Amino acid sequence: MALTGYSWLLLSATFLNVGAEISITLEPAQPTEGDNVTLVVHGLSGELLAYNWYAGPTLSVSYLVASYIVSTGDETPGPAHTGREAVRPDGSLDIQGVLPRHSGTYILQTYNRQFQTEVGYGHMQVYEILAQPTVLANSTALVERRDTLRLMCGSPSTTAEVRWFFNGGALPVALRLGLSPDGRVLARHGIRREEAGAYQCEVWNAVSASRSEPINLTVYFGPERVAILQDSTTRTGCTIKVDFNTSLTLWCVSRSCPEPEYVWAFNGQALKNGQDHINISSMTAAQEGTYTCIAKNTKTLLSGSASVVVKLSAAAVAMMIVPVPTKPMEGQDVTLTVQGYPKDLLVYAWYRGPASEPNRLLSQLPSGTWIAGPAHTGREVGFPNCSLLVQKLNLTDTGRYTLKTVTLQGKTETLEVELQVAPLG
């Protein structure tokens, strides 16, 4: 009786053993998609009549790949045949250009002349050549402790393993705790600033690995630790003493991402200054007061401030010019009284207007006597305490008067005062 095709499946056969003798190995052992693979059969015994190959977990007709008659070499495809399979005379199965869908359990069933059957089992895992994955983010700019980071590793492969990288290295422990069971989703509630950086995911299997391009995460925070510096020294909450007519620069610093916007205030009134520093070019009593820097972060919507008190130094405060009387009238005498003149005074000079020689009213010499200058009108008198008497005022005496002092140590100071002469009547 000649048997072909599926008729082998209908025979009443006796099982000798189940997988005890027959074994199946793969060549190559770890095939990748596109490889030509052979399921090599070992341990066949006796004179065999036929082979049946199944691609599935059971000897079901639906899983039948092919039947092969040993004596004739005839091969009959089954329902599970993909057009790539061929049975060898020794019972091995060739599969050309395997695909991931060829992965799974394979069963070889043999028949001998006594219609006894044996089966052997093998398993094939076809590994993909993995394409580069992509990291998808809910946002690449988040606010610290407020926002949640959610990253997903997008890959066409559903079987590959996934691992993550942070700045080229392993994920911090806190981030690893946010991985989903399959490793494809990374979530972090209340993101921290130290978790800002470059994130990548990598898909891998036994024969292939592919890493994504980095996605860069920015974490906004602050401002915090707002401080005011003078010459790199923190002065927040302090009183800064400044000599008269000298300069002062105050810097506002803070820890913030992004760099905050700065607003300066003087004695509670906002100044037109949007910079991180403020400069006082010539210190006078008018610049004394409280300077406040306010740092505002437009991303976190938070702000912080710091203040300092700026005062003239003791020596500078004492050195002041006060007209007596304060509002002199035409025809009166006025004394431009100097308070707190230098105790180590060497010489001084008064000028009508800027401190230049043509404008000099008078000078006091080291001997204590004074001499008239080019601008002296005969009505001006100097005193040892640097004060100046102007007699019988007229309206032309209105204007600026300048005092210049020189100490024994060679320190020069210049003070100015505006005199306003009121007309009679």
Side-chain angles (χ1 to χ4, degrees):
M1 177 179 64
L3 297 175
T4 61
Y6 298 144
S7 57
W8 282 108
L9 298 171
L10 304 178
L11 289 173
S12 175
T14 301
F15 281 90
L16 294 176
N17 244 320
V18 180
E21 300 292 339
I22 300 176
S23 63
I24 299 171
T25 59
L26 299 179
E27 291 183 359
Q30 293 181 323
T32 60
E33 55 184 322
D35 285 349
N36 297 329
V37 179
T38 299
L39 282 77
V40 180
V41 179
H42 307 276
L44 295 181
S45 60
E47 187 176 356
L48 300 178
L49 297 179
Y51 312 122
N52 288 333
W53 273 101
Y54 298 85
T58 63
L59 300 176
S60 170
V61 174
S62 61
Y63 296 135
L64 181 65
V65 174
S67 296
Y68 183 85
I69 309 301
V70 176
S71 60
T72 63
D74 291 335
E75 182 178 335
T76 304
H81 198 279
T82 65
R84 300 169 183 264
E85 297 86 358
V87 182
R88 291 185 178 185
D90 65 0
S92 299
L93 179 67
D94 292 327
I95 306 177
Q96 302 294 313
V98 293
L99 300 172
R101 61 186 175 90
H102 286 107
S103 298
T105 299
Y106 283 79
I107 304 175
L108 171 64
Q109 182 183 39
T110 64
Y111 290 92
N112 62 22
R113 291 190 175 277
Q114 289 74 42
F115 298 112
Q116 294 172 321
T117 183
E118 286 185 283
V119 295
Y121 293 85
H123 184 83
M124 178 167 66
Q125 177 65 51
V126 178
Y127 294 99
E128 301 173 72
I129 301 299
L130 298 170
Q132 185 179 40
T134 302
V135 176
L136 304 175
N138 60 327
S139 177
T140 56
L142 302 172
V143 175
E144 184 179 41
R145 299 182 182 273
R146 188 184 76 188
D147 293 339
T148 295
L149 171 67
R150 183 177 175 85
L151 302 178
M152 183 175 69
C153 187
S155 171
S157 173
T158 59
T159 60
E161 299 288 337
V162 177
R163 53 192 169 207
W164 290 85
F165 295 88
F166 175 66
N167 290 334
L171 280 180
V173 173
L175 288 169
R176 291 201 297 270
L177 294 175
L179 286 172
S180 62
D182 63 1
R184 291 177 178 261
V185 176
L186 173 62
R188 175 68 162 125
H189 300 290
I191 192 74
R192 303 294 194 267
R193 71 189 68 178
E194 58 269 19
E195 292 156 0
Y199 287 80
Q200 292 171 281
C201 72
E202 183 177 85
V203 290
W204 63 280
N205 56 32
V207 298
S208 176
S210 182
R211 190 177 298 191
S212 71
E213 294 295 327
I215 186 170
N216 292 303
L217 174 68
T218 300
V219 177
Y220 299 132
F221 62 88
E224 56 190 37
R225 300 186 184 180
V226 181
I228 293 178
L229 303 184
Q230 177 196 15
D231 299 329
S232 302
T233 302
T234 301
R235 304 304 297 270
T236 303
C238 297
T239 296
I240 301 175
K241 299 293 184 68
V242 184
D243 289 340
F244 178 81
N245 207 30
T246 58
S247 64
L248 171 67
T249 300
L250 300 176
W251 294 88
C252 191
V253 297
S254 69
R255 296 177 61 182
S256 178
C257 177
E259 187 72 14
E261 295 179 353
Y262 294 100
V263 177
W264 286 90
F266 175 59
N267 291 334
Q269 299 296 315
L271 300 175
K272 293 181 179 180
N273 181 317
Q275 298 178 310
D276 59 355
H277 66 281
I278 189 170
N279 183 63
I280 300 173
S281 58
S282 180
M283 184 66 192
T284 66
Q287 278 80 47
E288 286 189 311
T290 300
Y291 289 80
T292 301
C293 167
I294 303 170
K296 299 180 179 179
N297 188 318
T298 59
K299 299 298 184 180
T300 65
L301 304 181
L302 300 175
S303 62
S305 65
S307 297
V308 295
V309 174
V310 176
K311 289 187 176 182
L312 285 167
S313 62
V317 171
M319 188 76 164
M320 296 180 66
I321 302 174
V322 179
V324 179
T326 57
K327 296 181 179 180
M329 297 185 66
E330 187 178 8
Q332 286 185 316
D333 294 348
V334 67
T335 300
L336 302 181
T337 304
V338 179
Q339 298 178 351
Y341 66 94
K343 303 304 180 184
D344 57 346
L345 179 68
L346 177 63
V347 295
Y348 73 79
W350 276 99
Y351 301 87
R352 178 68 172 87
S356 63
E357 180 58 25
N359 299 331
R360 184 169 59 85
L361 293 170
L362 56 86
S363 302
Q364 177 180 280
L365 301 177
S367 62
T369 60
W370 62 268
I371 58 174
H376 195 270
T377 67
R379 296 179 290 121
E380 297 85 6
V381 178
F383 296 94
N385 66 357
C386 300
S387 297
L388 176 70
L389 170 64
V390 183
Q391 305 172 36
K392 297 180 181 179
L393 292 170
N394 57 56
L395 295 180
T396 61
D397 292 322
T398 296
R400 184 195 314 175
Y401 289 77
T402 302
L403 170 65
K404 185 174 183 180
T405 63
V406 180
T407 67
L408 293 172
Q409 286 74 33
K411 182 179 180 181
T412 301
E413 289 189 61
T414 302
L415 287 175
E416 296 178 348
V417 65
E418 290 287 336
L419 179 63
Q420 188 68 41
V421 180
L424 288 173

